[in-house]
Amino acid sequence: MTSSKKRLQVDPQLCEAHALCVEIAPEVFVLNDDADVATCDEDPPEALLPDVKAAISGCPRQAISMVDRP
Ligand code: SF4
């Protein structure tokens, strides 16, 4: 990721497991074992940033975001 001060996250309260993000960036997003929420690599490689951005804007629940590390 471009900035190590940021991390990628999926809000489990918002995610409805449409799996659109998994289709867009399968290297970064996966559904959990129960397939009811997506999880992600919180620090994906920079080369995947375009896919990550596409997943962020494509998520119908706006559940994916970049947040500041504590
Ligand atoms: S696209 Fe959004 S709502 Fe759907 S699985 Fe991914 S994070 Fe969850």
Side-chain angles (χ1 to χ4, degrees), residues 13-33:
Q13 305 296 326
L14 294 175
C15 176
E16 290 184 343
H18 304 94
L20 210 64
C21 55
V22 181
E23 287 180 29
I24 294 170
E27 304 91 340
V28 178
F29 299 92
V30 293
L31 291 183
N32 70 347
D33 288 344

Side-chain angles (χ1 to χ4, degrees), residues 24-67:
I24 294 170
E27 304 91 340
V28 178
F29 299 92
V30 293
L31 291 183
N32 70 347
D33 288 344
D34 293 334
D36 58 4
V37 71
T39 60
C40 65
D41 177 351
E42 69 175 34
D43 192 19
E46 194 164 341
L48 296 176
L49 197 54
D51 288 348
V52 169
K53 287 181 175 175
I56 290 172
S57 54
C59 173
R61 294 284 294 159
Q62 298 175 336
I64 309 167
S65 57
M66 297 293 301
V67 297

